[in-house]
Amino acid sequence: VTVTNFGLEFLLSFMIVLVYLRVTDYTDQHDSALCIGISYMAALAAYRGALNPAFALGQAFVSNKFDNHWIFWIGPLLGGCCAALSHEYIFNDQKDTELSLANFIGENGDSASKDCD
């Protein structure tokens, strides 16, 4: 049960954060509030968990049950971090496509850049 909850918290938080990052990109012409709201509602319809660490903490205080509470903190945090990294390094249209290892290594094999001298 804990692995399933952790996986769902991770994946759905990943989805919500990635949707947020993709639709708020200045090159897209989407209604960002509508897209983010639909993704959050779809995640809540698919899973009745917290998806929000503060909401999970409030529920734990009210019911006085803190068993496996780490799932509702680590899952969304890791999901959000992985979504941000995948947006930056995989899905970002503005990444430097000219950047390669050949640009950093000189002809004689040294890794020093010409601009640093």
Side-chain angles (χ1 to χ4, degrees):
V1 172
T2 58
V3 174
T4 304
N5 286 340
F6 175 78
L8 285 171
E9 289 280 338
F10 176 84
L11 288 175
L12 294 175
S13 297
F14 180 89
M15 178 194 73
I16 292 168
V17 171
L18 191 62
V19 165
Y20 171 79
L21 291 172
R22 295 298 294 164
V23 299
T24 57
D25 193 8
Y26 67 89
T27 59
D28 294 333
Q29 300 297 326
H30 300 292
D31 185 17
S32 59
L34 182 65
C35 294
I36 295 166
I38 288 174
S39 70
Y40 192 75
M41 287 189 321
L44 287 178
Y47 173 62
R48 292 292 178 187
L51 294 178
N52 183 349
F55 182 68
L57 184 63
Q59 286 181 337
F61 276 131
V62 170
S63 64
N64 200 19
K65 293 181 182 177
F66 293 95
D67 299 335
N68 298 324
H69 188 66
W70 62 272
I71 294 169
F72 302 108
W73 285 88
I74 302 298
L77 289 174
L78 285 179
C81 290
C82 289
L85 289 173
S86 65
H87 172 71
E88 181 67 28
Y89 295 110
I90 297 173
F91 298 113
N92 194 358
D93 296 333
Q94 299 156 355
K95 63 184 170 190
D96 190 8
T97 57
E98 300 296 321
L99 186 65
S100 68
L101 187 59
N103 293 344
F104 289 114
I105 298 176
E107 292 182 16
N108 55 357
D110 62 343
S111 60
S113 176
K114 295 176 185 176
D115 296 334
C116 294
D117 294 337

